[in-house]
Amino acid sequence: MLPTLVFLLAGWSPLTSTEAPPIVVASPDEPARAESPKAEAPARRFRPRLKGLNPRPSYRPNDPTRPTVCLIHGINSTSGSFVHLAPLLERQGYGVVLYDYPYNQELSQTIPAFIESLKSFRNEHNDAQPWSILCHSMGALLARSYVEGPNYNSDVASLILIGPPNAGSALAPAQDILQVLEAIRASIDPEGRTLMVLGEQISAAAKDLSPGSRFLSRLARSRPREGVPYYILAGDVGFLSREVRETIEARYRQVQRRAGFLGGLAGLALRNLPDVLDVLTEGTGDGAVAVASTRLEGATEHVVIPVNHVELIRGPLFYPEPGPVACEPFVSRWLAESLPITSLTEVKPDSQTDVESQTKTEAPVEIGGNGS
């Protein structure tokens, strides 16, 4: 079935004298942006970490001169996806805690595990200071479920949601379409630098991420927690140009108009093609999540920038070399607004113990496996 549809959508000429325009896939790197010098060494690979909250050496509980930012990765990824971002936050004066979780299980299992891990970690470290939680992609659904749910403990200073699928992602239930478009991509982009990997092996999580799923419907009934600012950053650089989208849609309409088995086959396999194209097309999606899906009523600020889903955090899967991290200027501003760093001159410790705790350093903890 799929090879037939690939032929029809990618290579089949319509039954007219007008030749179909060639398909040109936009690179995830477009529009061109300044990159780091080629001489810079690529980001080192990290050993996988245990699931749960893992503190970086920068973490200092209850130290107002180094407030904590918790980073939560997305689907098909690990905390290694923050290999470029985490050090930038630390150099700005923040302590970093990373959360690793199995991204391919149902969120009904993942979310309670996150809440329990957060509670246990903070109790273990006797950490009473509010954290900012920064999430990429599906990680936003974990953080929102905690902050907007009944177990919230008034311990979050802000939520920074980067490429969040607040209304789901059309890629989740669209494996047939992904395979069709992957076949198109493979003939044009032999290096494979597309975002199709984000739709692979997501298993049980795909059900929850599907637009209109039971999980997303429940989450949509909740509202942003009063007193917690929500900052959202989205990208709108997909891997299909608008011209390619129009070509695919035109060919699909022509196939649908053809009577019989062929038209029905296309309609069955590609029934949610428009939603998928919103995700993948420049201007409407970042290659994994549609811009419309990132929006959330009641959010403090929503910003859209011209980058793709992985480039938002400079995930090492596509961007192994050090360089500009697209989200960093916005993250820095939002953290300064919601989680300001207190200078040493402003701190008045009650005892020598407090002074010692402010200067304490811990054994190094590495970022998790090499994520996207």
Side-chain angles (χ1 to χ4, degrees):
M1 177 175 74
L2 289 174
T4 302
L5 293 176
V6 171
F7 170 73
L8 289 170
L9 295 182
W12 174 65
S13 297
L15 301 177
T16 67
S17 59
T18 304
E19 184 177 353
I23 293 179
V24 180
V25 176
S27 165
D29 290 324
E30 295 295 335
R33 280 169 291 279
E35 294 290 345
S36 56
K38 296 296 182 182
E40 289 192 23
R44 54 189 284 241
R45 296 179 67 88
F46 293 93
R47 294 195 301 272
R49 294 291 304 160
L50 295 176
K51 303 305 178 186
L53 284 163
N54 297 292
R56 295 266 292 171
S58 57
Y59 172 64
R60 298 175 192 168
N62 298 311
D63 184 349
T65 69
R66 186 170 284 275
T68 301
V69 181
C70 177
L71 307 182
I72 307 178
H73 64 81
I75 200 165
N76 248 15
S77 189
T78 70
S79 61
S81 61
F82 297 114
V83 67
H84 298 307
L85 178 60
L88 295 180
L89 298 179
E90 291 171 323
R91 285 198 286 271
Q92 291 175 22
Y94 293 97
V96 172
V97 174
L98 304 159
Y99 184 67
D100 273 283
Y101 64 97
Y103 58 76
N104 58 355
Q105 68 181 10
E106 292 183 7
L107 291 176
S108 61
Q109 302 175 49
T110 304
I111 290 167
F114 167 64
I115 295 172
E116 179 58 32
S117 182
L118 182 64
K119 178 182 177 182
S120 298
F121 183 92
R122 291 178 68 94
N123 286 340
E124 176 187 351
H125 293 272
N126 194 28
D127 192 340
Q129 293 296 312
W131 292 4
S132 179
I133 300 182
L134 184 155
C135 319
H136 182 231
S137 192
M138 191 173 73
L141 304 182
L142 276 66
R144 282 189 57 203
S145 295
Y146 168 60
V147 173
E148 296 168 18
N151 296 303
Y152 179 57
N153 198 32
S154 301
D155 53 5
V156 175
S158 61
L159 286 182
I160 299 176
L161 313 179
I162 300 176
N166 288 318
S169 172
L171 296 193
Q175 295 304 309
D176 281 351
I177 297 177
L178 289 177
Q179 291 179 57
V180 171
L181 295 176
E182 175 67 5
I184 297 172
R185 191 279 311 157
S187 65
I188 302 163
D189 182 18
E191 294 182 359
R193 296 197 61 189
T194 72
L195 302 179
M196 305 313 297
V197 67
L198 297 174
E200 298 174 353
Q201 300 177 350
I202 58 178
S203 187
K207 178 181 177 182
D208 291 327
L209 281 180
S210 300
S213 71
R214 188 171 299 178
F215 169 80
L216 289 173
S217 296
R218 285 197 303 268
L219 187 61
R221 290 194 290 269
S222 66
R223 290 293 178 267
R225 176 71 65 173
E226 186 176 353
V228 179
Y230 285 55
Y231 302 105
I232 299 175
L233 185 65
D236 67 356
V237 173
F239 89 99
L240 294 178
S241 68
R242 292 180 180 273
E243 292 74 19
V244 170
R245 175 178 182 150
E246 291 172 0
T247 298
I248 292 175
E249 288 178 321
R251 292 176 180 176
Y252 177 52
R253 287 193 295 270
Q254 289 172 332
V255 171
Q256 281 188 310
R257 286 196 294 268
R258 299 184 70 178
F261 175 73
L262 201 55
L265 194 64
L268 178 64
L270 305 178
R271 55 190 177 277
N272 62 334
L273 178 63
D275 292 336
V276 172
L277 293 180
D278 278 347
V279 170
L280 301 175
T281 304
E282 286 191 23
T284 57
D286 65 8
V289 179
V291 171
S293 181
T294 66
R295 298 189 183 279
L296 185 64
E297 185 179 353
T300 306
E301 188 171 356
H302 183 279
V303 178
V304 182
I305 60 176
V307 296
N308 66 50
H309 192 72
V310 177
E311 192 177 7
L312 281 164
I313 60 168
R314 198 176 181 85
L317 179 66
F318 293 162
Y319 306 96
E321 295 84 10
V325 180
C327 71
E328 186 274 330
F330 303 93
V331 169
S332 296
R333 175 167 62 84
W334 292 333
L335 286 175
E337 291 177 3
S338 61
L339 197 67
I341 297 173
T342 304
S343 68
L344 285 172
T345 57
E346 296 174 301
V347 177
K348 297 180 180 180
D350 295 329
S351 67
Q352 184 63 28
T353 302
D354 290 338
V355 174
E356 292 172 356
S357 68
Q358 292 165 13
T359 58
K360 179 182 177 182
T361 58
E362 300 187 15
V365 178
E366 291 187 327
I367 288 181
N370 191 36
S372 61

